[in-house]
Amino acid sequence: MISGQVECGPNAVLAFAREGYRKCGFVLGRIVRDVDLSGFLKLSSRYWRTGLAEMWRSLSKAAFLKALQRLVPDIRSHHLSPAPAGVRAQAVGPDGAQLDDFAFRETTRMVHVLNAPSPAATASLSIGKSIADKLAARF
């Protein structure tokens, strides 16, 4: 970082709320709705071990430290401090495949951006140009 600090991560864990920035924040209706989606079930059945390991590392400082020490052997617990969470939406298709970045679906009068994960803000001008180009091709 510009401050000289180093951020380690990110962990990719399922957020149990649309704006789930806290470890214990969840919305039961959201969990039920997400788990009911066939694409999510297919994706999670393939990667459940990885998902559980990521969640464990997010909850356990010792587990996170152990994983970091594979990359930076000299890092110790006192070097670590919590950082704020971010939420990154990831669209998943009915077959369980993660959609490519900047997936578009077009209807008669609209262009929908279905998947614009990080760095969506950085790429917003490019996304806007893609939308404009798609609309210009129609007229």
Coordinates of all heavy atoms in Angstrom, one line a residue, residues 2 9 44 74 80 88 92 105-106 118 131 133-134:
I2 N 0.3 2.4 -0.3 CA 1.1 3.6 -0.3 C 1.7 4.0 1.0 O 2.7 4.6 1.2 CB 0.2 4.8 -0.9 CG1 1.1 5.9 -1.3 CG2 -0.8 5.2 0.1 CD1 0.4 7.0 -2.2
G9 N -4.3 -11.3 1.2 CA -5.6 -11.8 0.9 C -5.8 -11.6 -0.6 O -4.8 -11.4 -1.4
S44 N -20.7 -25.2 -5.8 CA -20.3 -25.5 -4.5 C -20.0 -27.0 -4.3 O -19.2 -27.4 -3.5 CB -21.3 -25.0 -3.4 OG -22.6 -25.6 -3.6
D74 N 8.7 -15.9 7.3 CA 9.0 -15.1 8.5 C 7.8 -14.4 9.1 O 8.0 -13.7 10.2 CB 10.1 -14.1 8.2 CG 11.5 -14.9 7.9 OD1 11.6 -16.0 8.3 OD2 12.3 -14.3 7.2
L80 N 0.1 -9.3 12.0 CA -1.3 -9.3 11.3 C -2.2 -8.5 12.1 O -2.3 -8.5 13.4 CB -1.8 -10.7 11.2 CG -1.0 -11.7 10.4 CD1 -1.6 -13.1 10.4 CD2 -0.7 -11.2 9.0
R88 N -17.5 -8.9 -3.4 CA -17.3 -9.0 -4.8 C -18.4 -10.0 -5.3 O -18.4 -11.1 -5.0 CB -15.9 -9.5 -5.1 CG -15.7 -9.8 -6.6 CD -14.3 -10.4 -6.8 NE -14.1 -10.7 -8.2 CZ -14.2 -11.9 -8.7 NH1 -14.6 -12.9 -7.9 NH2 -14.0 -12.2 -10.0
V92 N -22.9 -16.7 -11.5 CA -22.7 -18.1 -11.8 C -23.9 -18.6 -12.7 O -25.0 -18.3 -12.5 CB -22.8 -19.0 -10.5 CG1 -22.7 -20.4 -10.8 CG2 -21.7 -18.5 -9.5
R105 N -25.9 -9.3 -21.4 CA -27.1 -9.9 -22.0 C -27.9 -8.8 -22.6 O -28.2 -7.8 -22.0 CB -28.0 -10.7 -21.0 CG -27.3 -11.9 -20.4 CD -27.1 -13.0 -21.4 NE -26.5 -14.2 -20.8 CZ -25.2 -14.4 -20.7 NH1 -24.4 -13.6 -21.1 NH2 -24.8 -15.5 -20.1
E106 N -28.4 -9.0 -23.9 CA -29.1 -7.9 -24.5 C -30.6 -8.3 -24.7 O -30.9 -9.5 -25.0 CB -28.5 -7.7 -25.9 CG -27.0 -7.2 -25.8 CD -26.4 -6.9 -27.1 OE1 -27.1 -6.2 -28.0 OE2 -25.3 -7.3 -27.4
S118 N -14.7 -7.0 -9.4 CA -13.5 -6.1 -9.3 C -12.6 -6.4 -10.5 O -12.4 -7.6 -10.8 CB -12.9 -6.5 -8.0 OG -11.7 -5.7 -7.8
I131 N -21.1 -1.0 -23.8 CA -22.5 -0.8 -23.9 C -22.9 0.2 -25.0 O -23.8 -0.1 -25.8 CB -23.0 -0.2 -22.5 CG1 -22.9 -1.3 -21.4 CG2 -24.5 0.2 -22.6 CD1 -23.1 -0.8 -20.0
D133 N -21.2 0.8 -27.7 CA -21.0 0.1 -29.0 C -22.1 -0.8 -29.3 O -22.6 -0.9 -30.5 CB -19.6 -0.6 -29.0 CG -18.4 0.3 -29.0 OD1 -18.6 1.5 -29.3 OD2 -17.3 -0.2 -28.7
K134 N -22.6 -1.6 -28.4 CA -23.7 -2.5 -28.6 C -24.9 -1.8 -29.0 O -25.7 -2.2 -29.9 CB -23.9 -3.4 -27.3 CG -22.8 -4.4 -27.1 CD -23.0 -5.1 -25.8 CE -21.9 -6.1 -25.4 NZ -21.7 -7.1 -26.4

